[in-house]
Amino acid sequence: MTFWIITSALALVIAATLALVLLRTRDTAGPAAAFDMQVYRDQLKDVERDLDRGVIGAADANRVRTEISRRILAADTQMQASLPRGGQSSPLSLAMAVLIGVTLIGGSLMLYRSLGAPGYGDFGLDRRIELAETMHNSRPSQAEAEARRPDPASPPDVSPEYATLMERLRETVAERPDDLQGQVLLARNEAAMGNFRAAAAAQSDVLRLKGETATPEDHAEYASLMIMAAGGYVSPEAEEVLERVLSRDPQNGTARYYSGLMMAQTGRPDLAFRAWNGLLQDSPPDAPWVRPIRAQIEDMARRAGAEFMLPSQPGPSAADMAAANDMSEEDRREMIRGMVQGLSDRLATEGGTPSEWARLIGALGVLGENEQASAIYANAQEVFAGDDEALALIRQAATQAGVDP
């Protein structure tokens, strides 16, 4: 708030100073006319002195006085004509003063909103890193984060039979806490119902029972359940689990994703972007962490001050196409339908290029789903409204697919 007060006051002072310079009344008396007036007055004094000394006669003195007086009147008329009337500034000056004030104040605020960081202190890099370290070290624990969240409610679509089976499973595991298979089932089913606290507790028992035989994936699953129980927050306890996973498997995708999320939550978007960008390049398109990374990485890159363009998701590989040649017609159409559905879901949630929209419309036409192709075409027209080149490409695809543009 102090920053905004100071900068606004400085902008107002500068704008007012410039406006006063434009609006103030200037003394615009002509210098030549004023000089002539002084000369003519001196000449009148000289005439009087010459008359007193007898140098000129009275008749000549009257004639000279008349001529000098005529010149004084002419010079005075010239000087009066050049003076400002009423001491008022011109409308152009007033308009220019207003324009300067609005441009200076409004333009400065808009420029800062675009290039600056409102609400964020003017700190150097070292100070920002220090604050991020403080945030990292003083963030809430897992228990505190879970306590802030309401108790999970049972999903509305759970059938009474399934709810009864879950109650029996809980009772059985409570009676036999060292039953590994029971704990695995309990963790899996509690997570499916959205009871992430109970699922994390059961997964903790899974790790206890497996001991040294627990895999990095087992630990990564535990960290994931802890984070979901805390509403997506990576607590210090969850971070410790992630570190154990990465110490045994540095390429573990789940741990790499959540480690980047932790960095983003503790004021280090630069490290988060670096972690996610590397993971995105190393991951297959169907990896579970790819979609959340793609949804967040552009904003993370902007916060980190990095130039980044989100790569488009690849289509089917050469191996997929070769495998399609060996399929039956029915299996091939089913594979194409799955790819089309994946592309449709991605375009609906994340958007895409005009060529991808055109490809989707064409693929739906090949499958004979003209009604769906028509709906996609109508949606694409809304998405690319005003982009004539994109609309032309999409219109061509719709025509080839048998959709009436």
Side-chain angles (χ1 to χ4, degrees):
M1 193 62 184
T2 303
F3 169 80
W4 287 107
I5 293 174
I6 294 174
T7 52
S8 299
L10 288 174
L12 285 173
V13 169
I14 295 172
T17 302
L18 294 175
L20 286 175
V21 172
L22 288 172
L23 295 176
R24 70 181 182 182
T25 302
R26 297 177 180 271
D27 183 8
T28 58
F35 178 77
D36 290 345
M37 289 277 289
Q38 186 61 41
V39 171
Y40 297 150
R41 290 190 181 99
D42 291 339
Q43 288 178 348
L44 284 175
K45 294 177 182 178
D46 291 340
V47 169
E48 295 300 326
R49 283 195 295 268
D50 290 343
L51 181 61
D52 291 341
R53 292 200 310 262
V55 175
I56 60 174
D60 291 334
N62 288 334
R63 180 177 57 77
V64 173
R65 287 195 197 99
T66 301
E67 178 63 22
I68 294 174
S69 297
R70 184 186 64 78
R71 294 180 181 179
I72 289 176
L73 289 173
D76 182 67
T77 301
Q78 180 182 356
M79 187 170 64
Q80 291 296 328
S82 64
L83 290 175
R85 301 187 180 278
Q88 299 297 323
S89 301
S90 67
L92 180 61
S93 297
L94 180 60
M96 185 60 68
V98 173
L99 179 61
I100 289 177
V102 172
T103 302
L104 182 64
I105 299 175
S108 299
L109 293 177
M110 291 179 63
L111 188 64
Y112 179 74
R113 294 286 302 183
S114 175
L115 301 179
Y120 200 57
D122 184 17
F123 304 130
L125 179 60
D126 292 341
R127 178 57 174 160
R128 292 177 191 272
I129 294 176
E130 180 182 344
L131 290 175
E133 187 68 21
T134 301
M135 184 187 305
H136 174 270
N137 295 334
S138 60
R139 67 193 197 276
S141 65
Q142 180 74 21
E144 291 172 332
E146 291 182 6
R148 295 175 183 175
R149 295 185 55 78
D151 292 332
S154 298
D157 56 347
V158 173
S159 65
E161 295 80 4
Y162 184 75
T164 301
L165 289 175
M166 279 299 301
E167 288 299 327
R168 291 178 181 173
L169 177 61
R170 291 168 184 149
E171 292 173 359
T172 301
V173 172
E175 294 173 358
R176 298 188 302 180
D178 293 336
D179 182 355
L180 176 59
Q181 187 61 30
Q183 295 288 2
V184 170
L185 289 173
L186 182 61
R188 184 180 305 161
N189 286 278
E190 291 286 17
M193 294 184 64
N195 299 326
F196 296 115
R197 296 183 198 174
Q203 185 65 18
S204 176
D205 284 327
V206 170
L207 298 179
R208 174 180 61 82
L209 294 172
K210 285 190 174 183
E212 294 298 325
T213 64
T215 66
E217 285 297 334
D218 293 329
H219 289 275
E221 178 65 17
Y222 178 46
S224 179
L225 291 171
M226 292 175 67
I227 293 167
M228 287 187 284
Y233 163 69
V234 185
S235 67
E237 293 85 351
E239 182 186 2
E240 291 180 6
V241 180
L242 295 174
E243 289 176 351
R244 288 202 301 269
V245 175
L246 292 174
S247 66
R248 296 177 59 185
D249 180 12
Q251 299 303 315
N252 185 277
T254 301
R256 291 171 68 184
Y257 168 71
Y258 282 124
S259 294
L261 181 62
M262 182 272 297
M263 296 169 190
Q265 292 175 350
T266 54
R268 293 303 304 269
D270 54 329
L271 299 180
F273 168 70
R274 193 181 310 163
W276 281 353
N277 191 28
L279 179 57
L280 190 62
Q281 294 175 9
D282 296 341
S283 302
D286 59 347
W289 49 80
V290 167
R291 177 167 290 187
I293 288 179
R294 290 179 65 88
Q296 303 173 76
I297 194 170
E298 288 183 304
D299 177 65
M300 201 59 59
R302 181 186 59 79
R303 291 170 55 191
E307 294 289 339
F308 175 77
M309 178 176 295
L310 187 65
S312 59
Q313 288 190 336
S317 64
D320 294 333
M321 299 304 294
N325 293 330
D326 299 331
M327 293 180 178
S328 65
E329 183 63 26
E330 183 179 352
D331 291 341
R332 186 182 301 112
R333 289 179 66 85
E334 198 60 37
M335 186 192 76
I336 295 175
R337 193 181 302 278
M339 293 179 179
V340 167
Q341 186 60 47
L343 178 59
S344 178
D345 292 343
R346 180 167 63 82
L347 293 182
T349 57
E350 303 176 19
T353 63
S355 61
E356 289 176 321
W357 285 84
R359 189 164 68 248
L360 175 59
I361 294 170
L364 289 170
V366 171
L367 293 173
E369 299 182 2
N370 291 346
E371 184 177 348
Q372 180 67 12
S374 180
I376 295 296
Y377 175 59
N379 190 12
Q381 287 180 306
E382 296 177 1
V383 172
F384 296 101
D387 189 340
D388 294 337
E389 185 177 350
L391 291 175
L393 178 64
I394 294 169
R395 190 179 301 111
Q396 180 182 2
T399 302
Q400 295 174 349
V403 176
D404 185 8

